[in-house]
Amino acid sequence: MTKSFYNSANYMKDFQCLGDTCEDTCCQGWYVDIDKKTFVKYKRIPDKKLKRRLHMHIRRNKMKTSFSDYATIKFPKGGFCPFLNTEKLCSIQLELGPTYLSRTCATYPRQYNMVFDRHELTGACSCPEVARLVLLNRDGIRITEERELLPADPVIDNLLDDPDLEPSFEYIRHFVLDVLQHRTISIEDRLLVLGSFFADFSYEKLSRIKKRIKDYRDILDRDAVAELVAELPIEPDVQFAYFRQTIETHVQSYVSNQRYLELVDLCRQGWETHDRFTTAYHSYYRPFMIEHEYMMENYLVNHVLSQLFPIAGIEKGKEPFNEWMLMVLHYTTAKYHLIALSASQQGLTPDLVVRMMQSYARTYEHDISYFSNEIKHLQEDGLTTLPFMSILLKNE
Ligand code: SF4
């Protein structure tokens, strides 16, 4: 069998699962896909008692889309995986060994992508240990060229294999990362530069893409970003009303993760009134972020790397501007939580930001329908525009 290698995000070489000391086990509140190979292995185990338990909690998935989601371990609503023991350890792994874990369990929180002829590894910020490694990295996130041996049969999150897209992939990715890591301007302005770049972007000849990238690099080099974004609107009342309503609706209908709900209770004190929220932005959030903006930058860079933004979307027929809006909605929704939290806590610390961002990621990033529905609603209201995204981004 030929060996495969992967390139890795720089922080993943330090990742180690915290096991029973983890403050938010990944075995709660979700469901777990079981691939066909693992399902068949479970059918053949000799231990009758464990076999009965497996039979009781695992259901064939009639809507399966691939071998990976052939069956599902059902969790009780908001509850824990039925195979987690009282010490928060996995009884399948303990009794049968790691080779009996499904591909999903063996892979999480690692996210493998297939990028043309190579694999890349990043991590999911819904895992507290990954969130710490991503967000607390002052020097920034990048993919290293050190080649590691790929484990057998990992889940592949995103696959890029359209040869027509390959020539432009690295140009666009380098440009997007350079803008997001351009630390002399605010994160909001970095996102607006990308929004302007993708607003009327159509996927075309490489020479045209290179020319467009060069024009935008000139804007950064000439310190002309302020000019580019000056006309884009700021409407704090609209921003406040939008987030308070969308988050409250989501929390009341769908969310069961206890750790996130505890934080939302604290956030509610901050978004009780618009005045309280605005004061928190100026007194706590902004001063903290002047020193720690790299945390939010890293969150966005990790999104770009793990989602293969925006090329994986283009390969699936999605508009790059829509992919950009999705990234902005993630950033602004998380930021709104942080501002509100800073009001109730009268400040922020790196640990508090990690905790909020990890809970945010767990609640929103694994719910693929939430933001796609939100973009549909915005489309119906004619709000999928650069000016409306500016309203969601800008605070002053
Ligand atoms: S959330 Fe991360 S650290 Fe915690 S148990 Fe899962 S993989 Fe391990």
Side-chain angles (χ1 to χ4, degrees):
M1 202 167 62
T2 43
K3 287 179 182 170
S4 297
F5 294 87
Y6 64 86
N7 295 338
S8 168
N10 51 348
Y11 59 86
M12 279 309 279
K13 65 179 179 343
D14 298 322
F15 173 75
Q16 279 226 307
C17 172
L18 303 175
D20 58 346
T21 60
C22 178
E23 61 266 51
D24 188 17
T25 171
C26 44
C27 307
Q28 191 225 344
W30 284 331
Y31 58 86
V32 169
D33 285 337
I34 302 292
D35 53 283
K36 188 170 179 183
K37 207 165 131 192
T38 309
F39 185 83
V40 171
K41 271 166 104 176
Y42 291 166
K43 290 246 162 220
R44 294 185 183 146
I45 60 166
D47 178 336
K48 285 206 174 105
K49 210 168 136 207
L50 185 57
K51 195 169 171 173
R52 239 195 333 272
R53 277 181 68 204
L54 288 163
H55 182 73
M56 196 158 64
H57 295 294
I58 297 178
R59 291 278 168 275
R60 276 287 308 279
N61 178 10
K62 298 278 186 287
M63 310 283 282
K64 72 183 171 63
T65 53
S66 67
F67 280 112
S68 298
D69 61 356
Y70 189 77
T72 305
I73 301 179
K74 294 278 180 209
F75 293 13
K77 194 170 184 304
F80 291 88
C81 173
F83 298 104
L84 205 63
N85 70 14
T86 45
E87 276 88 47
K88 279 171 75 185
L89 294 170
C90 172
S91 49
I92 295 178
Q93 177 157 6
L94 284 176
E95 290 176 42
L96 299 171
T99 56
Y100 277 78
L101 290 177
S102 69
R103 292 171 71 207
T104 302
C105 294
T107 306
Y108 182 85
R110 298 165 192 83
Q111 296 176 307
Y112 291 97
N113 289 327
M114 182 81 206
V115 187
F116 305 109
D117 60 348
R118 64 180 190 275
H119 289 88
E120 283 184 358
L121 170 68
T122 55
C125 285
S126 49
C127 159
E129 185 57 7
V130 171
R132 267 186 286 276
L133 293 170
V134 169
L135 300 177
L136 298 177
N137 189 332
R138 246 177 213 279
D139 297 331
I141 302 297
R142 65 196 156 75
I143 294 282
T144 66
E145 298 295 321
E146 288 159 37
R147 283 155 53 83
E148 306 276 344
L149 193 59
L150 194 74
D153 214 14
V155 175
I156 301 295
D157 278 292
N158 290 293
L159 171 76
L160 269 184
D161 61 358
D162 179 347
D164 290 345
L165 296 172
E166 189 169 3
S168 56
F169 173 75
E170 289 299 341
Y171 285 101
I172 295 179
R173 178 186 254 190
H174 276 143
F175 168 68
V176 168
L177 293 177
D178 284 351
V179 174
L180 284 179
Q181 294 178 321
H182 199 86
R183 293 190 175 179
T184 57
I185 55 174
S186 70
I187 296 270
E188 285 71 18
D189 283 356
R190 296 177 221 176
L191 283 167
L192 288 171
V193 169
L194 291 178
S196 169
F197 179 86
F198 286 116
D200 52 0
F201 178 93
S202 60
Y203 195 77
E204 50 196 353
K205 275 194 186 152
L206 181 59
S207 57
R208 293 229 186 112
I209 293 173
K210 281 185 181 174
K211 163 83 175 67
R212 193 173 174 82
I213 288 176
K214 185 180 172 311
D215 291 346
Y216 273 81
R217 285 194 186 279
D218 283 349
I219 293 173
L220 289 171
D221 293 344
R222 284 188 290 115
D223 287 336
V225 171
E227 235 171 86
L228 181 79
V229 304
E231 298 299 314
L232 290 168
I234 306 178
E235 288 190 39
D237 292 1
V238 176
Q239 184 201 82
F240 180 74
Y242 171 80
F243 283 118
R244 191 161 76 163
Q245 201 240 321
T246 52
I247 294 171
E248 282 291 5
T249 307
H250 185 57
V251 170
Q252 280 164 29
S253 344
Y254 302 105
V255 180
S256 59
N257 180 260
Q258 209 42 45
R259 192 169 148 91
Y260 172 76
L261 290 173
E262 282 165 15
L263 287 167
V264 164
D265 273 345
L266 298 175
C267 290
R268 283 199 175 101
Q269 297 169 32
W271 67 56
E272 205 172 24
T273 66
H274 189 198
D275 277 354
R276 190 140 198 240
F277 183 81
T278 307
T279 305
Y281 173 78
H282 291 288
S283 307
Y284 308 124
Y285 180 85
R286 193 68 211 129
F288 175 84
M289 282 301 167
I290 286 171
E291 292 293 316
H292 300 86
E293 209 163 39
Y294 64 91
M295 296 181 81
M296 300 306 271
E297 171 195 300
N298 290 349
Y299 175 75
L300 289 168
V301 169
N302 203 48
H303 177 92
V304 168
L305 297 177
S306 62
Q307 302 307 306
L308 302 178
F309 168 89
I311 305 288
I314 294 174
E315 186 160 321
K316 289 179 197 144
K318 295 181 183 163
E319 288 295 325
F321 187 71
N322 269 30
E323 296 298 279
W324 173 78
M325 283 193 299
L326 188 66
M327 180 159 70
V328 169
L329 286 173
H330 271 299
Y331 170 76
T332 49
T333 307
K335 175 180 162 186
Y336 186 83
H337 283 81
L338 288 170
I339 297 172
L341 185 63
S342 76
S344 74
Q345 302 305 293
Q346 304 199 338
L348 288 173
T349 62
D351 284 350
L352 197 55
V353 172
V354 168
R355 187 184 167 111
M356 184 72 252
M357 292 300 289
Q358 178 266 327
S359 296
Y360 167 82
R362 193 186 157 110
T363 305
Y364 290 83
E365 285 185 2
H366 296 269
D367 179 351
I368 41 172
S369 60
Y370 175 71
F371 282 122
S372 52
N373 285 339
E374 202 42 46
I375 288 182
K376 264 190 221 143
H377 295 148
L378 292 173
Q379 244 153 9
E380 284 158 14
D381 295 336
L383 295 174
T384 45
T385 62
L386 188 56
F388 188 70
M389 290 297 126
S390 166
I391 288 171
L392 299 188
L393 277 163
K394 286 185 174 183
N395 286 82
E396 53 188 12

